[in-house]
Structures are given as C-alpha cells and as structure tokens.
Amino acid sequence: MTKKGRGRFYKITPMKGFANRDIAMSAAWIDEYRERVYDQIEDLPQSALDFEARGTGITIGRLLLHMGWAESLWIGRITGVEASPGLSELLSPGSLENFENKPCISPGAEALIDICRRVRNEMTIPGLKSTSDADASCWKDGSTFRGVLGQLQWHWIYHSGQVGLIRFEWGSDYEWTMGSPMAPEM
C-alpha cells in the first residue's frame, strides 16, 4: 500500500495578525511542516501507529505526541503560555522522560492530529502573535524567538523523516510529491 502524499508547498505567506512578519513567517512554515506529517499518518490504522521500529521504542504515535509535547514545551518557555492540564496529560507520553518506558498504545490518527492542532491553536499562535522582536532573547541561555522557532521547524522536519521510515517498515510507503514551484514568499 502506497499513499501519494500531498504536494510540498514553498509559496508560504506570513500568517495574519502577528506583530512581527518574521515570526508570522516561521509560524506559517511550521504549519506547513505539521500538515505534511498529518498527511503522512491520517490514513494509517492503529497497528501502524503503534508499530515499533526494530526495538527502538519509537512508534509513529509516540513521535506525534513527542512533536506536540516539544512544541508545547518550547512555546511555553518562550511565551509563558501554558498547556491546559488536559492537554498536558494527552502530551505526556511524548515527553523525553517517558522514552525510557515501553510506548503506550497511541490514540488514533485523528486524535493525534487533533492533539497537535490544539497545541498550535491554544499555545503557539496565541503565544507568538504579540511578539514584536524575533531576535529578542527569550530564554535564560540567550536563545531568541527566531532561534527557537527555527528549532521547532527543524524538529517537525526531522521527525517527519522518521515517521516516513517507520511507515515504510510497517509496510506502507509514502510517495513525496511537489505541490508548487520552489519560490518562497519574500
């Protein structure tokens, strides 16, 4: 079984309603990377989401929860917006501390996507909208908003590759496709 993936998009425009264009652009790129990951998993059955890649403790479900958990962690650190107790509980199996444990049975694909969208809608977008200086120090080590958002972009891309590999090992390929000319917004 092979799924032909959604096209990759490069003509990304800054999100509306943000105080800083660069932050609005980073948020838009993170949205694009999230949507790619969602496309990679939306058709998968529970057995694929819980398939463990060769004794690694890594499953697609765990990776999605980890990506949402990491985004909530970093957005919380740099903006002060905290995850609700219910959202924190849903994300907890994705925390790095839990990677020492056997992966739990993940919620279905739709639920995983909904959890990650909640992080976006309840924390990331509201937390970043009023940030006016992308290069302001936002963390005690001197990290900037631009730097942390770059890390989150990298994080979604990196784990997207792992999701694709685990999907393939489970028995379903994902065909990467182009969606538009490679001409990013400037």
Side-chain angles (χ1 to χ4, degrees):
M1 153 174 134
T2 296
K3 177 181 182 181
K4 184 172 183 167
R6 70 186 279 279
R8 284 178 237 168
F9 295 100
Y10 299 95
K11 194 157 179 76
I12 304 297
T13 57
M15 296 183 84
K16 304 229 183 287
F18 279 66
N20 182 282
R21 185 184 190 285
D22 291 343
I23 291 174
M25 193 63 155
S26 288
W29 274 108
I30 293 169
D31 271 0
E32 171 59 21
Y33 302 140
R34 275 193 217 95
E35 290 302 320
R36 168 62 64 165
V37 173
Y38 302 160
D39 190 62
Q40 285 180 281
I41 72 155
E42 66 187 2
D43 65 319
L44 292 177
Q46 191 69 43
S47 60
L49 298 172
D50 292 331
F51 175 79
E52 187 178 334
R54 301 188 189 196
T56 63
I58 299 175
T59 66
I60 291 172
R62 177 176 260 182
L63 282 173
L64 264 286
L65 292 172
H66 172 68
M67 287 184 270
W69 170 83
E71 185 171 331
S72 74
L73 173 80
W74 282 104
I75 292 299
R77 282 183 180 174
I78 68 172
T79 68
V81 175
E82 294 183 16
S84 67
L87 182 56
S88 289
E89 185 177 334
L90 291 169
L91 293 167
S92 67
S95 79
L96 288 175
E97 293 79 28
N98 285 328
F99 270 59
E100 294 178 5
N101 304 324
K102 182 172 175 44
C104 62
I105 294 172
S106 65
E110 186 176 330
L112 288 165
I113 292 167
D114 287 344
I115 292 166
C116 291
R117 284 196 170 129
R118 281 187 61 191
V119 172
R120 178 214 185 264
N121 295 335
E122 295 174 21
M123 297 182 69
T124 305
I125 301 307
L128 294 174
K129 274 189 167 187
S130 64
T131 304
S132 59
D133 185 355
D135 296 310
S137 178
C138 62
W139 186 240
K140 58 188 170 189
D141 70 354
S143 294
T144 64
F145 287 94
R146 185 185 312 274
V148 171
L149 293 176
Q151 159 62 19
L152 288 174
Q153 289 177 35
W154 174 89
H155 196 246
W156 278 96
I157 294 167
Y158 176 79
H159 289 306
S160 173
Q162 290 177 313
V163 167
L165 180 59
I166 295 169
R167 179 184 174 121
F168 183 75
E169 286 183 355
W170 175 77
S172 176
D173 201 2
Y174 181 85
E175 181 183 332
W176 295 83
T177 62
M178 300 294 287
S180 65
M182 289 181 269
E185 182 72 25
M186 293 296 178

